[in-house]
Amino acid sequence: MERTLSLIKPDGVARNLIGEVIKRFETAGIKIVAMKKLHLSRKQAEGFYAVHKERPFFNSLMEFMTSGPIVAMVLEGEDVIAHNRKLMGATNFKEAEEGTIRRDYATDIEKNVVHGSDAPETAAFEISYFFNSMEIVG
Ligand code: RTP
Ligand code: MG
């Protein structure tokens, strides 16, 4: 069993897509083992996306990620890192496969509704960024 971090980004929360995203995970047989709603500060968003700090889109991404509340979840399942990325679709919704969350709901390359960890190392970092072990219930 593997775990990954999922975020419903501010656009997804503002557009009442929390239930829709969760429904897709549950329908796919993925288990939600932790969940919380929070509003990131600039410092918290910068720490989370530190790998992107030299990218040209970093400042815009920080403005977006701090613009409203998000929902953070820990997902559990077999190959769940890749499984979640498949359900999300490509970063750019125009390139995302049909039936994916981003293809169906993203409005912009940045405002793409969800985040998912991309590797075991990033999943471990990102899960511990938001949750302590007592908050994860398998
Ligand atoms: P994420 O980390 O949020 O799951 O998305 P990802 O792996 O598919 O994409 P990544 O390359 O890690 O980029 C992180 C987020 O930054 C925004 N972005 N904006 N303006 C742009 O060209 C651009 N490129 C990326 C998106 O919100 C992307 O999900
Ligand atoms: Mg990424």
Side-chain angles (χ1 to χ4, degrees):
M1 278 299 161
E2 193 174 63
R3 285 176 176 172
T4 192
L5 183 88
S6 168
L7 298 180
I8 304 176
K9 295 181 179 182
D11 59 331
V13 173
R15 290 167 58 214
N16 291 338
L17 295 173
I18 297 171
E20 178 60 35
V21 171
I22 288 175
K23 187 171 158 198
R24 288 179 184 227
F25 294 153
E26 291 192 327
T27 301
I30 291 171
K31 194 166 162 186
I32 296 162
V33 293
M35 177 160 61
K36 65 173 80 165
K37 187 178 188 183
L38 63 164
H39 192 147
L40 292 177
S41 69
R42 175 84 187 199
K43 267 207 159 63
Q44 289 168 333
E46 285 177 354
F48 181 72
Y49 275 123
V51 290
H52 291 318
K53 66 177 182 295
E54 306 304 334
R55 302 278 204 99
F57 60 77
F58 186 71
N59 192 52
S60 173
L61 180 61
M62 293 303 98
E63 299 276 328
F64 167 50
M65 289 302 294
T66 59
S67 66
I70 63 168
V71 170
M73 287 172 273
V74 180
L75 308 181
E76 186 179 88
E78 208 172 301
D79 274 324
V80 74
I81 295 172
H83 190 183
N84 179 42
R85 300 278 299 184
K86 193 160 175 62
L87 294 176
M88 287 163 52
T91 310
N92 183 350
F93 72 104
K94 292 179 181 162
E95 290 160 14
E97 274 181 54
E98 260 179 64
T100 60
I101 295 168
R102 285 168 167 173
R103 175 69 171 260
D104 289 347
Y105 296 109
T107 51
D108 182 300
I109 190 164
E110 179 178 79
K111 294 175 184 61
N112 57 8
V113 187
V114 280
H115 161 85
S117 311
D118 58 13
E121 303 72 44
T122 50
F125 166 76
E126 292 177 358
I127 289 169
S128 66
Y129 199 78
F130 285 103
F131 297 94
N132 66 47
S133 59
M134 281 173 67
E135 296 173 312
I136 302 171
V137 183

